[in-house]
Amino acid sequence: MKEESGKVSNITNRTILKLLSLVLVLSMALSVLAACNKNDDGVQIDENGVPYIDISFEKGKGPAIARGDSTKLEVKDGELKITNRTDAWNGVNFKGDKFIGNKVQVKASVKSANPTCSLSLQYDLAGTTAYTTIGTGNTSSGYYSQIQGEIEISEQAENVFFYIEASGVDDIYVKEFEVHVVGDYVDPSTLAKLEYANIADYPELKTLYADYFKFGCAIPTTFVSNKNQNYIELVTKEFNAITFENELKPDSILDYETSVSDLSKYNESPAVKFDHLKETLDYCKEHGIVVRGHTLVWYSQTPAWLYHVDYDINKDFVDRDLMLKRMENYIKSVFEWAQTNYPGVFYAWDVVNEAVADGGSILRDCEWKQIIGDDYIEKAFEYARKYAPDGVKLFYNDYNSYQNGKRDTIIEYLKPIAAAGNIDGVGMQGHISTATGVDYFIEAMKMYADLGLVVNVTELDISMPNNNNGEYDQGVYFNKLFKAFIDAKKSGVPLECVTVWGICDNLSWKSADKPLLFADDLSQKTAFKGVVAAVTGEELQKPADYVEIVRDTSTIYEDYEDGKFVGGPRFSATVGVGDSDPFDGSKSLFCTGGVDTYDGYSVDISGFVGKKIHYSFAVRSAAPQTKMTLDIDGEWPNIETITTGSDEWIEVDGYCDVPGGYDTLTLYFETTTTDSFNLDNLLIELAE
Ligand code: G3I
């Protein structure tokens, strides 16, 4: 027994030992797995070792980090609620360092009472914090919208965050957030340090263009305060005008702490601070670089407290009289500071920025308009003229200001201000693409000049087309645009300065679109060579690997019987094939769920660029009219407007000359309301 019991106890000991070691191995394996699979940054690792984020907020806020000191995050019923936002930039951050050096697709389901929300990337690069937009969405429909986009995260980026912010300070709700690597994953720890290009022999834009206009660029003040020599040397060599990308905006210069510290002193005259600008302004002064003041009155990047009683966002808006006093005194303080400290350095100010709504027939809704009324623009210019030193030019600045609807509205609003002598110029921002009509841009310039105003191009960046020849095509477009600028100037258009919005792609707010003149290592892009060639008259050389575009003029025919279609939804519409009341056969295409009139069904007709086409289709809708239109950036030439309304099928047949000069072109169907519509037997073919 003894023996037996000794044996038993030996066996038991061995078993316990084995069990213990198994438990140990298992727990080690589990902790390794846990470490590999999910971290506090919410990053998981897939079966190929590639990191990804996929969060649905079912079990709490997970890796979501509040963006902004006052911002609060709460989770309920699988929704992340972002509250207590006091600035538009407040929202939510998600860490993204595991994706440095990779291209990623980022998606978020977002809802908010704010008209728009955006999904962006924040990162530090050479000591500068950069903010670049990944995607923007209209979020105020009451439903969740998906905001998404792809972005290449620079190899040099550090402290990377994906973030969601909004156009105003209303709460934001997020249901899902995902990040997935596109293509092969690069481990950030294997990335090499960037070698900057030698810029010594670069042609100098400011010298080449001296006979025509000043050549400016936007920079963050950190270039100078960090002593980033590579960037500073390039800026000093190439440019003779500067705009601060963010640091002169109202939320950078309005001083909350001081303003609330003594309301008897500051209630009518908000305090302002400028210390953060000193080093860069001293640098500008020393190098004879003039500065554009950007920007005084803007609906965005203006602190919410400015509009409220006692500067307390929990109290009501102030009344018109007090808001006007705050506006006047704020403008006065800025001009007094500039004139006292940097006389002659500021050549222009954007007095009012982006006041006209997208689409362009009315003023954008914003606090300035709600409190003061539509005349807030006139008032801002009246005060600016009253306090601006002689010789400093006062501008209205806007994007898409070349588009006819917006252009005409801007002109209507500026007429009385120009007549009163309170404005000197129009800033055409120029966040454009290679599909933007150059003639169209120049035409708008001339119309602004006809008001007796000068023109500046204030924020030029041109998205690189996403095709095989993208870099070259972008260069060709820059070349064409600058030739047109030179010709316009020669013909008397008062174009006084052209400013590019940044210097290198990886620090651009649109870095995904590589829209600038210099690459990340500051080497010359074809875009830069195109700008140089426009003034020297040289030819831009086609690269050896240029891929000739083959136009596919095959007929497009869709009867939807096989459930297939070649087009896709435009903006937030949903398209699909259904069997309810088809025109012919048993199926038709339906397009539904649009929240805007321009949501619809879009078909790529790039094969027919520059050709005449024959089209036919059947359409039905309860909307009074259904339209077929070409989609060119800034122009939407309507081809057919069909009276629908009865929801009966209507047959359409016609011809159209598709404009030439575009790499890609789409046509789209939409209704004049947000009603759904059906299409059947869509034919697009080359006309004989
Ligand atoms: O300002 C806060 C800062 O206080 C906070 O510490 C930080 C948190 O990390 O966020 C900062 O906000 C960022 C801001 O830049 C910096 O001032 C915002 O999130 C970020 O979205 C913002 O982006 C800027 C954007 O204007 C805002 O509308 C871009 O860098 C800037 O290039 C862009 O420039 C505008 C022009 O002014 C007007 N025309 C359009 C153009 C492009 O959007």
Side-chain angles (χ1 to χ4, degrees):
M1 258 323 263
K2 234 184 171 182
E3 254 191 45
E4 286 262 352
S5 72
K7 228 181 188 175
V8 168
S9 69
N10 272 346
I11 290 170
T12 315
N13 284 345
R14 275 209 304 274
T15 315
I16 290 170
L17 265 174
K18 267 190 192 162
L19 271 173
L20 273 175
S21 40
L22 196 70
V23 168
L24 197 72
V25 169
L26 260 175
S27 66
M28 276 169 64
L30 277 175
S31 60
V32 169
L33 260 178
C36 291
N37 277 347
K38 200 150 190 178
N39 294 297
D40 60 354
D41 55 9
V43 175
Q44 304 184 58
I45 310 289
D46 73 10
E47 63 283 5
N48 301 314
V50 178
Y52 69 98
I53 300 179
D54 189 347
I55 314 166
S56 63
F57 307 108
E58 294 300 336
K59 296 185 188 130
K61 70 182 177 68
I65 305 166
R67 181 175 172 80
D69 292 341
S70 64
T71 308
K72 296 219 168 4
L73 303 183
E74 299 161 28
V75 167
K76 210 177 151 207
D77 302 330
E79 286 182 321
L80 174 74
K81 187 176 175 191
I82 309 166
T83 59
N84 228 28
R85 301 175 57 248
T86 54
D87 276 303
W89 63 269
N90 294 168
V92 60
N93 280 338
F94 299 94
K95 283 185 186 167
D97 284 347
K98 300 255 165 46
F99 303 98
I100 289 170
N102 286 275
K103 182 172 188 175
V104 288
Q105 192 195 42
V106 192
K107 290 186 202 166
S109 278
V110 182
K111 187 173 82 172
S112 176
N114 293 293
T116 56
C117 286
S118 44
L119 176 60
S120 307
L121 187 80
Q122 173 183 321
Y123 50 99
D124 293 339
L125 205 157
T128 287
T129 304
Y131 309 91
T132 183
T133 309
I134 300 171
T136 304
N138 295 330
T139 39
S140 58
S141 64
Y143 301 101
Y144 272 96
S145 324
Q146 190 158 85
I147 309 181
Q148 59 181 325
E150 289 188 351
I151 186 118
E152 264 178 61
I153 306 181
S154 170
E155 295 185 3
Q156 286 73 50
E158 294 173 304
N159 304 323
V160 172
F161 291 98
F162 302 103
Y163 66 93
I164 296 168
E165 63 181 0
S167 49
V169 293
D170 286 308
D171 296 346
I172 305 175
Y173 295 79
V174 184
K175 220 162 59 175
E176 266 142 31
F177 177 74
E178 289 179 43
V179 181
H180 296 280
V181 172
V182 178
D184 291 337
Y185 176 63
V186 182
D187 180 347
S189 65
T190 62
L191 295 169
K193 205 169 166 281
L194 180 76
E195 294 280 330
Y196 284 98
N198 179 354
I199 66 161
D201 297 332
Y202 287 11
E204 291 173 11
L205 296 176
K206 65 179 182 195
T207 314
L208 289 173
Y209 278 88
D211 289 344
Y212 302 108
F213 39 77
K214 286 190 284 291
F215 216 120
C217 70
I219 62 163
T221 51
T222 42
F223 278 3
V224 177
S225 55
N226 289 338
K227 307 197 173 21
N228 287 135
Q229 274 321 112
N230 293 295
Y231 301 117
I232 299 171
E233 276 166 22
L234 187 67
V235 172
T236 317
K237 184 172 176 61
E238 298 293 335
F239 303 100
N240 49 12
I242 272 179
T243 308
F244 301 138
E245 189 175 357
N246 285 302
E247 296 85 347
L248 247 183
K249 291 175 178 174
D251 67 359
S252 291
I253 59 170
L254 282 163
D255 182 346
Y256 175 72
E257 278 73 26
T258 312
S259 298
V260 288
S261 68
D262 184 355
L263 282 174
S264 60
K265 181 170 174 195
Y266 296 110
N267 190 33
E268 293 185 357
S269 179
V272 278
K273 54 180 180 195
F274 303 101
D275 287 355
H276 59 294
L277 299 165
K278 188 174 182 319
E279 281 167 291
T280 310
L281 284 168
D282 289 345
Y283 153 83
C284 291
K285 202 166 147 185
E286 187 189 328
H287 291 89
I289 296 174
V290 290
V291 177
R292 163 177 218 90
H294 175 75
T295 178
L296 290 168
V297 175
W298 191 19
Y299 77 94
S300 174
Q301 284 183 281
T302 301
W305 54 263
L306 181 69
Y307 309 112
H308 291 266
V309 169
D310 296 341
Y311 299 128
D312 179 348
I313 58 163
N314 298 310
K315 295 189 178 168
D316 289 343
F317 278 163
V318 294
D319 60 20
R320 172 181 157 98
D321 283 351
L322 180 52
M323 199 66 238
L324 283 172
K325 285 199 177 94
R326 286 184 182 177
M327 179 196 257
E328 175 167 2
N329 288 321
Y330 154 62
I331 290 174
K332 179 178 178 221
S333 307
V334 174
F335 281 129
E336 276 178 3
W337 156 80
Q339 185 59 7
T340 308
N341 297 283
Y342 296 97
V345 172
F346 287 90
Y347 74 100
W349 280 88
D350 291 327
V351 175
V352 177
N353 198 40
E354 301 173 1
V356 173
D358 289 332
S361 56
I362 51 167
L363 283 190
R364 181 190 298 279
D365 189 25
C366 69
E367 288 88 342
W368 291 111
K369 173 174 141 82
Q370 285 167 21
I371 302 171
I372 297 175
D374 279 11
D375 64 340
Y376 84 88
I377 308 177
E378 274 181 80
K379 286 289 181 190
F381 277 100
E382 182 188 316
Y383 300 143
R385 181 57 88 218
K386 187 167 165 190
Y387 299 108
D390 286 348
V392 171
K393 290 192 171 154
L394 305 178
F395 278 75
Y396 174 80
N397 188 47
D398 214 330
Y399 61 86
N400 291 354
S401 43
Y402 61 91
Q403 293 178 355
N404 46 10
K406 202 162 181 177
R407 177 199 66 203
D408 293 348
T409 309
I410 293 172
I411 288 173
E412 280 315 303
Y413 277 100
L414 296 191
K415 266 183 195 163
I417 304 172
N422 290 339
I423 182 171
D424 302 298
V426 173
M428 299 181 68
Q429 293 189 0
H431 299 293
I432 57 177
S433 78
T434 53
T436 305
V438 167
D439 296 345
Y440 208 41
F441 203 98
I442 303 293
E443 178 64 22
M445 240 176 216
K446 290 183 180 158
M447 291 175 76
Y448 294 128
D450 287 345
L451 290 173
L453 304 175
V454 303
V455 189
N456 281 193
V457 176
T458 50
E459 304 183 14
L460 185 64
D461 52 17
I462 303 171
S463 299
M464 184 188 280
N466 190 9
N467 64 30
N468 291 323
N469 308 313
E471 158 114 26
Y472 175 73
D473 289 350
Q474 184 191 38
V476 169
Y477 187 87
F478 262 105
N479 181 263
K480 192 167 150 191
L481 186 66
F482 274 81
K483 278 182 178 157
F485 288 164
I486 293 170
D487 289 346
K489 185 71 198 225
K490 282 182 178 163
S491 73
V493 175
L495 173 59
E496 295 192 337
C497 183
V498 177
T499 293
V500 283
W501 200 244
I503 57 168
C504 53
D505 288 336
N506 61 354
L507 282 170
S508 159
W509 75 292
K510 275 169 94 178
S511 71
D513 298 332
K514 301 187 177 2
L516 294 171
L517 300 179
F518 300 97
D520 303 353
D521 61 355
L522 304 186
S523 58
Q524 302 174 31
K525 286 174 58 188
T526 315
F528 176 75
K529 294 176 184 161
V531 175
V532 171
V535 71
T536 60
E538 292 158 69
E539 281 291 306
L540 260 190
Q541 296 302 314
K542 254 189 194 176
D545 59 357
Y546 183 84
V547 182
E548 291 298 336
I549 297 171
V550 182
R551 298 276 179 202
D552 180 1
T553 52
S554 319
T555 298
I556 294 171
Y557 182 67
E558 301 182 336
D559 62 9
Y560 310 110
E561 297 303 310
D562 57 1
K564 293 186 180 151
F565 46 92
V566 295
R570 188 164 194 264
F571 300 109
S572 38
T574 303
V575 290
V577 171
D579 53 11
S580 135
D581 186 19
F583 169 72
D584 193 22
S586 61
K587 293 195 170 64
S588 70
L589 179 110
F590 64 82
C591 177
T592 184
V595 290
D596 284 300
T597 53
Y598 49 72
D599 297 331
Y601 177 57
S602 176
V603 180
D604 186 339
I605 55 157
S606 306
F608 301 103
V609 164
K611 309 265 194 257
K612 189 183 185 81
I613 55 169
H614 167 232
Y615 56 84
S616 65
F617 55 90
V619 61
R620 74 176 167 81
S621 176
Q625 290 176 326
T626 305
K627 293 171 156 193
M628 184 173 93
T629 304
L630 282 177
D631 199 346
I632 304 174
D633 183 31
E635 292 170 276
W636 299 276
N638 181 237
I639 305 168
E640 286 279 355
T641 297
I642 308 115
T643 304
T644 38
S646 60
D647 209 11
E648 300 287 333
W649 284 104
I650 299 181
E651 289 180 80
V652 180
D653 197 295
Y655 291 85
C656 156
D657 288 313
V658 180
Y662 300 97
D663 276 6
T664 57
L665 206 67
T666 57
L667 69 72
Y668 63 98
F669 297 85
E670 64 181 346
T671 60
T672 44
T673 61
T674 52
D675 287 298
S676 56
F677 62 90
N678 283 62
L679 273 183
D680 212 345
N681 292 2
L682 172 64
L683 168 78
I684 298 167
E685 62 182 353
L686 214 50
E688 292 305 323

